[in-house]
Amino acid sequence: MDILEELRWRGLVADSTDAAELSRRVNAGPLTLYCGFDPTADSLHVGNLVPLLALRRFQMMGHCPIAVAGGATGMIGDPSGKSQERVLLTPEALSHNIACVKAQLARLLDFEAGANPALLLDNAQWTASVGYLDFLREVGKHFSVNMMVAKESVRARMEDRDTGISYTEFSYMLLQAFDFLVLNRDHGCELQIGGSDQWGTITAGTDLIRRKLGRSAHGLTLPLITNADGTKFGKTEKGAVWLDARRTSPYRFYQFWIHTDDRDVVRYLKFFTFLPEDAISNLEQQHLKNPGARPAHRALAAAVTELVHGPAALAEAMRASDILFGGELSGVGEATFQDLVGEVPTREIARTQLDGAGLPLVEVLVHAGLSPSKGQARKDIEAGGINVNNTRQTDTQRVLTTADLLFGKHLLLRKGKRTYAVVTAC
RNA sequence: GGGAGGAUACCGAAGUGGCCAAACGGGGUUGACUGUAAAUCAACUGGCUUACGCCUUCACAGGUUCGAAUCCUGUUCCUCCCA
């Protein structure tokens, strides 16, 4: 099975340039391919995982991946799939973001692979020094505005008269095409991959290469990941799910995958793990036989968490999850409980506040971040959604004292079925 | 430059002097049922308060009135039509 067949059975091919020709090329020997990642934030999120893992999949089949951090394109803003003109990042924010994103890219690709090590580049390297006039003469001349306007990413914005599109974002396509040209020329890069919203800019690149260098290059897009219920993939109530542990803890990350809709879980195993076809269909069978045990969910969560955060963090996330969702909490000892501290969102509180009269539960809930305000905390209690040490609280007047501390030290708070927080007295 | 219409809570959208913290729908939170799933049903969904109630909100600033999201004046922004 070649890489294209591999991607195809996983459902990871949205579109590609001449499929027969591309397939001939991948079978002819290792090829170099690239994918760009724009530093719009100081961390990648789960959505970025799809193209990033695709690079890795190519690498595993012997091809050479290049991850490009968009130091240059990030200064412009990609209009694809955006309905609003973007606010430009400050140069400081941008360089901070690039450094962080680079570190994340570096963790998920193999730079030591003997014959086909991955490469990490920043497109500012070859773009920053090019003068405006040179760029217009060398690159701009090869683009027809008529063709650019016809591309979906631009057209959508042109049709929306409220927002429109700035000349800056309009130029994005040229910059990305220029990237592909440079990579093709200097690194023999023959293929660009990206999300399906990148189709227009990718083909702009292959066109430019044909015109400038007289060679053919390839493009392949990956599908947009959709949730079965129609919501946006990778978003929770608390916002995006990030790869950075400081933004999304490994425990939360693991839980995110555990919560996958049944209807999505097999697709996501294909999208987000390296598990082979038979392992996935085996999990699918198990899942269909006994969905309540959620074997597929567990495998998905474990695989992705390990990939992103490593085996140690995965073990901790699983241990915390087992303690909280594994059944009776009453038998949990102090040492086990200690595993939860820091995994589950944890806040500290001065022990003296619990002495004597104690502290109203509503205030503790706000402090722990489970309720946004005391009024809401009260409503949460009235709705029966608040548990302290796994006991439902029904009294909005409830006051917590040192007597409520587990092991003389911790409070285990829960809102709803699965949102936990620990408050530690010190 | 002229004319018409519009701006309401997280989003969409009612409301045209008191019964408006503001209908309804979506979203969100919680509960029941379950499997940390989905679907369904129910409650809640500006802040403070045990509650009576109080406070802040209907683009912004003033005004009329016992009383304004609703009327008047000015300002900002948007849409449409004419030039």
Side-chain angles (χ1 to χ4, degrees):
Chain A
M1 184 156 66
D2 67 36
I3 179 66
L4 296 176
E5 289 161 347
E6 161 83 13
L7 293 177
R8 223 169 275 133
W9 80 258
R10 286 183 185 275
L12 282 171
V13 179
D15 207 349
S16 80
T17 51
D18 192 341
E21 178 53 35
L22 180 57
S23 141
R24 208 170 304 134
R25 176 58 196 88
V26 295
N27 284 300
L31 99 173
T32 300
L33 75 153
Y34 100 95
C35 180
F37 297 89
D38 271 354
T40 47
D42 65 4
S43 171
L44 298 173
H45 52 82
V46 285
N48 298 123
L49 230 34
V50 178
L52 185 49
L53 296 186
L55 283 183
R56 179 85 172 265
R57 292 181 207 282
F58 272 92
Q59 185 173 32
M60 290 163 82
M61 305 287 259
H63 304 285
C64 304
I66 302 176
V68 171
T73 36
M75 297 195 71
I76 300 306
D78 181 0
S80 308
K82 300 283 184 307
S83 57
Q84 294 278 311
E85 178 82 12
R86 294 212 255 162
V87 177
L88 290 175
L89 292 164
T90 64
E92 300 76 50
L94 194 66
S95 60
H96 169 70
N97 290 355
I98 292 166
C100 294
V101 166
K102 273 184 170 173
Q104 292 185 333
L105 293 171
R107 275 220 319 276
L108 287 160
L109 293 168
D110 184 358
F111 295 86
E112 315 286 286
N116 59 329
L119 215 54
L120 177 57
L121 301 174
D122 182 341
N123 61 11
Q125 281 166 21
W126 57 80
T127 309
S129 59
V130 177
Y132 185 61
L133 292 175
D134 288 336
F135 188 80
L136 288 180
R137 288 175 65 93
E138 297 300 316
V139 178
K141 197 68 178 169
H142 297 282
F143 283 84
S144 113
V145 168
N146 312 43
M147 173 274 285
M148 290 174 71
V149 166
K151 303 252 182 200
E152 176 59 30
S153 57
V154 173
R155 204 185 64 208
R157 290 273 295 272
M158 303 261 296
E159 280 169 3
D160 185 353
R161 296 178 57 179
D162 293 358
T163 14
I165 181 168
S166 67
Y167 181 72
T168 304
E169 285 196 19
F170 182 64
S171 312
Y172 181 91
M173 188 188 295
L174 271 66
L175 277 175
Q176 192 170 318
F178 183 60
D179 284 350
F180 199 2
L181 176 72
V182 170
L183 290 167
N184 181 273
R185 189 188 65 203
D186 299 349
H187 294 274
C189 176
E190 295 172 77
L191 170 67
Q192 180 181 178
I193 65 171
S196 54
D197 58 344
Q198 297 295 309
W199 181 249
T201 45
I202 291 174
T203 53
T206 60
D207 288 347
L208 181 62
I209 289 169
R210 187 176 313 110
R211 298 206 177 105
K212 276 290 300 172
L213 304 176
R215 300 179 198 159
S216 69
H218 305 281
L220 185 146
T221 55
L222 306 156
L224 185 72
I225 310 301
T226 53
N227 287 332
D229 61 6
T231 55
K232 219 170 182 176
F233 171 78
K235 293 266 192 274
T236 67
E237 325 75 67
K238 298 198 161 62
V241 178
W242 303 95
L243 303 194
D244 187 334
R246 285 168 304 181
R247 280 181 175 248
T248 301
S249 75
Y251 165 77
R252 279 235 193 87
F253 189 84
Y254 179 84
Q255 287 287 319
F256 165 76
W257 295 101
I258 287 286
H259 292 147
T260 301
D261 192 311
D262 280 15
R263 294 168 289 179
D264 292 321
V265 72
V266 173
R267 283 168 58 235
Y268 290 0
L269 279 166
K270 292 175 184 170
F271 291 161
F272 295 102
T273 75
F274 294 111
L275 294 175
E277 199 164 8
D278 55 350
I280 290 178
S281 58
N282 184 24
L283 283 166
E284 182 173 16
Q285 291 311 312
Q286 289 184 48
H287 171 66
L288 290 173
K289 212 179 300 164
N290 183 11
R294 297 192 307 296
H297 293 79
R298 290 173 197 281
L300 173 68
V304 188
T305 306
E306 177 165 20
L307 193 69
V308 172
H309 294 296
L314 167 63
E316 281 166 32
M318 285 178 71
R319 208 178 306 139
S321 298
D322 282 348
I323 296 166
L324 294 173
F325 300 102
E328 277 307 295
L329 200 67
S330 50
V332 169
E334 183 170 359
T336 311
F337 189 89
Q338 198 64 37
D339 290 338
L340 293 175
V341 179
E343 278 305 305
V344 170
T346 300
R347 294 287 165 81
E348 293 188 341
I349 198 172
R351 180 176 292 273
T352 50
Q353 290 193 269
L354 295 172
D355 284 340
L359 199 58
L361 173 59
V362 288
E363 286 184 29
V364 178
L365 289 171
V366 173
H367 179 73
L370 286 183
S371 301
S373 70
K374 286 200 282 180
Q376 186 58 49
R378 231 166 257 120
K379 285 174 186 165
D380 292 337
I381 295 170
E382 280 168 7
I386 297 298
N387 289 261
V388 173
N389 302 331
N390 262 14
T391 304
R392 179 177 284 185
Q393 304 298 310
T394 50
D395 179 9
T396 56
Q397 303 285 333
R398 177 79 151 88
V399 171
L400 297 176
T401 65
T402 48
D404 293 302
L405 291 170
L406 289 175
F407 315 112
K409 222 172 170 175
H410 306 292
L411 292 165
L412 179 65
L413 306 174
R414 171 161 60 94
K415 186 178 79 156
K417 227 185 308 194
R418 54 193 188 217
T419 311
Y420 281 95
V422 168
V423 170
T424 297
C426 60

